[in-house]
Amino acid sequence: MRNIFSSRNSIYLFFLVVFISLLFGVIKLENKISQKTMEITTSDIISIANNSASFIGKILEKSSDTYAKTIAENSTLQKQLEDYFSLLITSNIKYVYLLHKDNRGIFRFLADGTIDKSNRACLNQKFDIDNPLWLNIFKTKKPLIIENSYSHQLSITYLVPILKENKVELILVVDFAISKLEKINEVISWIKMIMMSIILVVIASLLILIIQTFKYIAVKKTAYIDKLTGVYNRNYLQESEGFINLNDYILATLDIDYFKTVNDTYGHDVGDKVLKEMASVISLSTRDKEDIIIRYGGEEFVIMAKVRRDDSLGALNVIERILRNVRQYKFFYTKKDYIHMTVSIGINLKPNESRNFSDAFKLADIALYNAKNKGRNNIQIYDESKDNDGSMLSINDIKEALDEDRILCYYQKIINNNTNETTHYEALLRIVNKKGDIVLPDKILPIIEGTFISRNITKNVLRICSKKLEENENINININLRPKDLLDKSIIEILENYAKKQNISNRLGIEIIQNEDLINSKDGKNILLLLKDLGYKIFVDDFGSGYSNFIYLSEIKTDYIKIDGTIIKNILEDKILYLLVKSIISFAKEANIKVIAEHVNTKEIYEEIKALGIEYSQGYYFSSPKESLE
């Protein structure tokens, strides 16, 4: 009996020592928390500054003159820099400006991002430095931090050198201030009081509570943790989604690219190993105790990245870091052999604008669909300006539209630039909703991706277009087929049957988006060659925006390339895109492939692409999509 009491007293004494140690530890906690908070806060701002300096360096790297002279003589570039700097201004970042040192050693402004334009410094206005440490940057040629600590905030000047031929040409300066956490002492005092009460009043009860708590946590951990990867599972999400404050996070959905191929090629043991290591890479890329990782199912993960101070940039950096780290990681399946994996990620930057977590998740999933559709291995952000108008259809809505024959095609002209004649029409999917409004594909396709409804939609479009071709023997119509459509036997059988009809297949163009799903498919190439033999013309859509295999284009004897509209609509302002288009045209001519420019929406763009030698155009400059053929 004495031994029992002795053991019990030893336990009590142990916990008493622990709590007293904690009490003294709390006293030192304030400085550590404050220091760590400063480190975390400044890291994102420093990252922004470094990335901005790198961006400026890339813009100027081909300049034959000094960077300062290049900027000073280019008012458009100066304005672009100032506008870009003004976007970086936040509640913490006070000033962003670009300096150079003239031949007399005087610092002068090149660009000032002050939001109030009336207070911006003028070009070459003198800038007086108040600390000789500034001059060290010309010796070290490395970024420099200068701190000025005040009673309630820490003011920091961060200098980033921009080098040319290993010489400091410019200095990017970011001034920011960080408020110290004044309430830390209040919280710590409260913690001290609670701990003293626990030590003096309820130490015995606390022992029982701790034991029960550990048991409860162990049970909950088993229920909410994915056994394979060690991150949260779907049970955790279902249990907690009603309590998640959507104002605190950005929401991302992540899918491992071609994971099925890994399982099929290397076996499920290797697949499981990839999943475990993928979860580890994601965990190491996120911020401990801030970001939440959930294995949603199979090879799909959900990441909730914490937003600090109403600024999503830091959270967005987390998602970008995941993509970058996955790309660099080697997944070893033996001691020597490894494979590289990639991921597709969709992001909802504003989940708080959705009614609940499920709606917010759906929008991130739509962005994920777009990432996959653009060739995978990339990040796509949900575009609220286009998709948050409440017109997104549900699966049931689309089923009913199929049953009630409310599937339509609108048609947009493709023009021969030399004759101005209409050579083809592209058929574009539309659905009439119950209100009689026309619904566009971006409100339809993300919902039906991977379902049998997608195949049925394609069959309906084929039926509508073949009927149009039979009614009018003088027109050519293009339809869009996705890789999954081309690999579907029932759809290929329909195309084979159409080819048996006179004067159909030679007027029905097949537009495909070239991506790795198609390139890596064993049957994809053979199916496209079969369609060519049957008389169909092959159009490669959105060329230049994603995965491009030029050899593959020659192997399948592509007839037309459609240059992606996002490239064409920016060709007048972006020199790089202009050069890209010239390269595509050069390749196409050598390969005897005709070129179509998409999104030709203005006379200026039309004249430019015509001067470049592009043979065909499609866009609002000629016509918008219409239900009737003209």
Side-chain angles (χ1 to χ4, degrees), residues 378-468:
N378 69 90
I379 295 173
Q380 292 296 316
I381 297 174
Y382 173 73
D383 188 347
E384 63 179 347
S385 64
K386 296 180 180 179
D387 298 321
N388 72 345
D389 57 3
S391 59
M392 189 71 68
L393 297 180
S394 68
I395 287 285
N396 288 332
D397 292 333
I398 299 172
K399 283 181 182 177
E400 289 181 7
L402 277 166
D403 295 338
E404 298 172 7
D405 199 24
R406 288 189 274 109
I407 308 298
L408 300 178
C409 283
Y410 273 41
Y411 305 91
Q412 188 173 34
K413 295 179 181 179
I414 298 175
I415 304 296
N416 185 309
N417 289 336
N418 295 320
T419 65
N420 286 329
E421 294 179 351
T422 301
T423 59
H424 301 77
Y425 292 90
E426 181 181 357
L428 302 167
L429 172 66
R430 300 290 188 268
I431 284 181
V432 181
N433 66 17
K434 294 178 181 179
K435 298 179 180 179
D437 299 325
I438 299 297
V439 182
L440 301 180
D442 55 350
K443 308 295 191 302
I444 304 167
L445 298 180
I447 306 301
I448 61 175
E449 173 69 11
T451 70
F452 73 93
I453 297 177
S454 175
R455 177 181 60 197
N456 292 343
I457 290 284
T458 300
K459 290 179 179 179
N460 268 266
V461 170
L462 283 168
R463 175 181 56 79
I464 293 169
C465 291
S466 66
K467 185 177 180 181
K468 286 286 185 182

Side-chain angles (χ1 to χ4, degrees), residues 220-326:
K220 284 294 183 182
K221 186 174 182 180
T222 303
Y224 293 151
I225 299 297
D226 181 63
K227 293 180 180 179
L228 178 63
T229 61
V231 299
Y232 288 118
N233 59 21
R234 198 163 181 169
N235 292 335
Y236 169 83
L237 184 57
Q238 291 172 345
E239 182 75 18
S240 61
E241 66 177 76
F243 303 99
I244 295 172
N245 187 347
L246 296 176
N247 291 300
D248 292 341
Y249 299 95
I250 67 170
L251 179 62
T253 54
L254 177 151
D255 194 82
I256 303 175
D257 296 332
Y258 309 108
F259 182 71
K260 184 178 182 299
T261 304
V262 174
N263 275 334
D264 293 344
T265 305
Y266 303 101
H268 288 277
D269 288 342
V270 173
D272 287 348
K273 189 172 186 293
V274 168
L275 282 171
K276 289 173 66 175
E277 294 187 22
M278 183 65 70
S280 177
V281 173
I282 295 171
S283 297
L284 291 172
S285 304
T286 54
R287 300 162 296 183
D288 189 31
K289 298 180 181 179
E290 287 190 282
D291 307 321
I292 299 172
I293 308 163
I294 301 163
R295 185 185 175 196
Y296 190 73
E299 66 271 27
E300 187 172 0
F301 292 81
V302 174
I303 299 105
M304 289 185 286
K306 189 72 175 287
V307 177
R308 298 172 183 158
R309 293 182 175 84
D310 299 322
D311 182 6
S312 63
L313 186 58
L316 190 58
N317 286 339
V318 170
I319 308 302
E320 292 175 344
R321 187 160 58 241
I322 291 172
L323 181 72
R324 183 173 62 251
N325 290 346
V326 170

